[in-house]
Amino acid sequence: MLEILKKLFGSKPKVFKTDIPRRFELLGRVGQGSMSKVWRARDSHSAKTVAVKVLDKIKTQRFEARFPGLKKPSEGEVAMKLKHPHIVETYEYGTTTEDEQFLVMEFVEGVSLTMVIDAQSESLTKNRLNYMIQLGEALEYFHREGWIHRDLCPRNIMVDTKEQIRLIDFGLVVPNSPDFRKPGNRTGTANYMAPELIKRHATDQRIDIFSYSVTCFEMWTKHLPWESAQTIDAVIHHINKPPTDIRTLAPGIDEEVAATIMKGLEREPADRWQTIAEMLVPLRHAQQRLQPRKKKPRPTTDGE
């Protein structure tokens, strides 16, 4: 009898659903990914201007079904754990009244790295190496926390008004654990996917190092290391070819920076940088050589 009463009256955590249009003043759409829509909004609870991201219910369910029997964390669960100056801060996540997952994030004033690369502006020329290192530091933290991003590319990166890089999307993130590294799950953005991911081999954090290197290559050249492809079949066709040497498309690039990026593009994971921390060492060394900090003038006294 006691067991029956427990089943009938036992407390279950109540799921509170959020009416997005009622709680938030939606000020305008600021982005749309393959699995979500994002609005700039004013939060009636905090009075803050925030970014509200609502995930497509059907596409999210389809993606999560790729991990049968595994407790894959939701994007909101992952995002809430991330605290780093080059990763967008997430304040809250939950479920809408339409049973969609949503996230409330800080609103970043700025533009996507895709736009910055397309413009090849003076700002990019001046800050390219800084952007690379900032993004590398975000990815280093990400890996240290035990995650694989799986979709690192310019459209998932913002450059804010203070020339700071912000990583903004975690929709395809998985834990860096044996079950999630198994062969078979091929997700990501085709032109930035590592060969082992495309071929459905076992993966680890080195797929992010490859994607990071493609992004760095594009920052310097406005081109991909291989001819752009719109389909996985087309990508498979060209991944067996060596990448274009970055020096041919960016003749003035520093040799240490060029060699660092090209090593990150190696076809075999064992030939690449094994960790992003390792890859950052020569980039920081190049930064110290190319962008030496100015010494502050020594204060003087009236007697001098």
Side-chain angles (χ1 to χ4, degrees):
M1 186 66 179
L2 183 59
E3 289 303 316
I4 294 173
L5 290 173
K6 282 183 179 179
K7 288 181 181 179
L8 287 173
F9 301 105
S11 61
K12 291 184 179 179
K14 189 172 181 180
V15 177
F16 293 95
K17 296 184 179 181
T18 299
D19 186 331
I20 295 293
R22 187 173 180 179
R23 173 176 163 185
F24 298 95
E25 181 185 356
L26 302 178
L27 304 173
R29 285 276 290 278
V30 292
Q32 178 167 350
S34 59
M35 292 174 59
S36 63
K37 296 176 182 177
V38 184
W39 285 267
R40 178 174 174 265
R42 186 170 291 110
D43 186 353
S44 63
H45 287 186
S46 66
K48 286 182 179 179
T49 298
V50 296
V52 176
K53 180 176 184 177
V54 178
L55 309 187
D56 183 287
K57 182 166 58 176
I58 302 300
K59 291 180 179 178
T60 300
Q61 289 172 348
R62 194 180 301 147
F63 172 63
E64 291 178 345
R66 295 185 181 203
F67 306 95
L70 300 180
K71 293 182 178 179
K72 181 194 169 298
S74 69
E75 180 174 358
E77 289 172 313
V78 173
M80 285 290 290
K81 294 176 181 178
L82 302 172
K83 306 296 178 187
H84 189 273
H86 296 304
I87 296 178
V88 67
E89 184 176 359
T90 300
Y91 303 130
E92 175 188 342
Y93 74 97
T95 305
T96 73
T97 51
E98 302 297 321
D99 290 322
E100 303 155 313
Q101 295 180 40
F102 77 93
L103 295 83
V104 182
M105 303 170 291
E106 65 173 314
F107 181 76
V108 178
E109 292 281 0
V111 296
S112 76
L113 184 59
T114 299
M115 292 181 63
V116 174
I117 288 171
D118 287 344
Q120 288 291 304
S121 64
E122 182 181 345
S123 176
L124 176 61
T125 303
K126 180 181 178 182
N127 293 291
R128 231 172 341 221
L129 188 52
N130 294 336
Y131 292 166
M132 288 170 59
I133 291 171
Q134 289 175 28
L135 179 58
E137 288 172 346
L139 193 55
E140 180 187 16
Y141 165 83
F142 205 79
H143 288 170
R144 193 167 64 244
E145 293 297 301
W147 306 106
I148 304 174
H149 191 278
R150 295 184 72 96
D151 198 20
L152 194 74
C153 62
R155 68 179 170 81
N156 289 333
I157 300 160
M158 292 283 291
V159 181
D160 71 18
T161 53
K162 296 181 180 179
E163 307 294 352
Q164 296 295 298
I165 288 290
R166 308 298 288 279
L167 189 57
I168 61 170
D169 192 283
F170 316 104
L172 301 185
V173 170
V174 297
N176 190 357
S177 62
D179 285 338
F180 288 95
R181 293 196 298 261
K182 289 178 179 177
N185 179 28
R186 185 167 67 193
T187 53
T189 302
N191 284 310
Y192 300 84
M193 288 167 66
E196 64 271 27
L197 181 58
I198 293 168
K199 294 176 180 179
R200 298 187 187 275
H201 294 171
T203 59
D204 57 25
Q205 76 285 343
R206 290 173 293 184
I207 64 173
D208 287 345
I209 293 172
F210 184 90
S211 302
Y212 169 71
S213 300
V214 175
T215 300
C216 292
F217 188 104
E218 202 173 1
M219 275 195 265
W220 281 92
T221 68
K222 199 180 175 179
H223 296 281
L224 295 163
W226 294 269
E227 185 179 346
S228 179
Q230 301 304 313
T231 66
I232 288 290
D233 288 339
V235 174
I236 290 172
H237 178 72
H238 76 232
I239 57 171
N240 292 319
K241 300 176 183 177
T244 302
D245 192 318
I246 195 170
R247 300 165 187 85
T248 65
L249 297 174
I253 189 171
D254 178 77
E255 176 58 34
E256 189 172 24
V257 174
T260 302
I261 294 171
M262 294 307 296
K263 182 173 178 177
L265 295 172
E266 287 288 349
R267 184 187 313 159
E268 296 296 330
D271 296 332
R272 261 175 245 153
W273 300 102
Q274 300 303 288
T275 67
I276 200 72
E278 184 185 12
M279 187 173 179
L280 280 170
V281 171
L283 294 179
R284 289 192 180 112
H285 181 257
Q287 184 186 47
Q288 290 169 358
R289 283 192 297 102
L290 299 170
Q291 301 170 353
R293 292 183 180 180
K294 293 181 179 179
K295 291 183 178 180
K296 293 181 179 180
R298 186 168 63 89
T300 59
T301 63
D302 293 339
E304 290 184 321

